[in-house]
Amino acid sequence: LQHLATGYVRTPAMRLVIPGPHNTSALLAAGGVSSTAEDVGRFVIALQSDRLLSPSTRTSMWTCQKTTSGTRTRYGLGWLVSE
């Protein structure tokens, strides 16, 4: 594509090169999800209301969870949480 912006990666030899294509076919964190700014805005508004999640689920989403061994994580339900 003409005028396509690309990033760079550093090789083990410390050279900067343009990386090959990235496979975003899986819905993993930071990959595979495409949206518009308008749709993201609608999603955030829905998250902040009771239309998408119950108040208790929304609270859990933003509360640091624990592993099965009881270790506290820095993640809520799918989100990095900062306190």
Side-chain angles (χ1 to χ4, degrees):
L1 298 173
Q2 186 177 9
H3 306 296
L4 176 68
T6 62
Y8 294 89
V9 295
R10 194 171 296 277
T11 68
M14 303 304 289
R15 291 184 49 229
L16 290 176
V17 297
I18 297 173
H22 180 73
N23 181 358
T24 59
S25 61
L27 289 177
L28 302 173
V33 179
S34 297
S35 189
T36 64
E38 183 180 355
D39 282 346
V40 171
R42 286 193 296 213
F43 178 66
V44 169
I45 290 167
L47 279 178
Q48 293 173 342
S49 72
D50 293 338
R51 292 185 345 205
L52 190 61
L53 301 173
S54 69
S56 64
T57 300
R58 195 171 46 254
T59 298
S60 293
M61 184 176 86
W62 296 110
T63 301
C64 292
Q65 302 297 304
K66 293 182 181 177
T67 64
T68 55
S69 65
T71 303
R72 187 173 173 270
T73 70
R74 294 180 15 202
Y75 291 91
L77 302 181
W79 306 91
L80 179 63
V81 178
S82 62
E83 294 186 59

